[in-house]
Amino acid sequence: MIETAKGFQTRAGVERELKRFERRGNTARNRAVREVKRTRTRVERELRQRRTQATRLVKRNRRQVEQQVKRTRRDVERNVNGLQTNAEKIVDRVQEQVTTLA
C-alpha cells in the first residue's frame, strides 16, 4: 500500500481508522438525535404552556365580558323601571291637574 497518512499503511490500519471514523459518526449522530429530542421536548412544552395561557386568557376575558353585560343589563333595567315610574307619576299629576281645571 502507498503511505498517504498515519494508520493507512496496512489493511489493519485502514480498518482501524475506518472503525474510528464510524464511531465518530455514531457519536455525532447520537448527539444530534439527543439534541433534536431535547429541542422537540422544549418546543412541545412551550407550546403547551402558551396554549394553556391563551385558554386562560380567553376564559378570563369571556367571564369579564359576561359580568359587564350582566351589570349593564341590570343598570338599563333599573333605569327603564325608574323612567317608567317617573313617567307614570307625571301622567298622574297631569291628569290631576286636568281634572281640577275641568
Side-chain angles (χ1 to χ4, degrees):
M1 293 208 130
I2 302 173
E3 182 176 333
T4 56
K6 180 184 169 199
F8 292 112
Q9 296 172 358
T10 64
R11 179 180 176 101
V14 169
E15 289 176 355
R16 186 172 48 249
E17 289 296 312
L18 183 60
K19 284 186 180 189
R20 191 171 128 238
F21 289 133
E22 286 175 348
R23 280 194 308 272
R24 279 187 187 176
N26 282 337
T27 301
R29 186 190 69 228
N30 291 341
R31 189 174 295 132
V33 166
R34 283 193 301 271
E35 179 66 26
V36 166
K37 285 181 182 179
R38 274 196 304 268
T39 302
R40 179 180 176 180
T41 301
R42 186 173 57 245
V43 168
E44 288 174 344
R45 183 182 316 120
E46 186 175 338
L47 176 65
R48 279 192 307 272
Q49 289 172 349
R50 288 183 183 201
R51 184 182 297 135
T52 301
Q53 288 173 349
T55 302
R56 286 179 183 163
L57 180 63
V58 167
K59 284 181 180 179
R60 186 176 68 225
N61 289 345
R62 177 180 290 138
R63 242 187 337 265
Q64 289 174 350
V65 167
E66 288 172 350
Q67 289 172 353
Q68 183 64 35
V69 166
K70 195 174 185 178
R71 279 193 298 267
T72 303
R73 180 179 290 137
R74 192 171 45 235
D75 291 346
V76 167
E77 287 173 357
R78 284 181 190 156
N79 289 338
V80 167
N81 290 338
L83 289 173
Q84 186 176 359
T85 303
N86 288 340
E88 289 171 356
K89 287 179 183 177
I90 291 171
V91 167
D92 288 343
R93 263 192 258 140
V94 168
Q95 284 178 347
E96 286 177 18
Q97 289 175 358
V98 167
T99 56
T100 57
L101 290 175

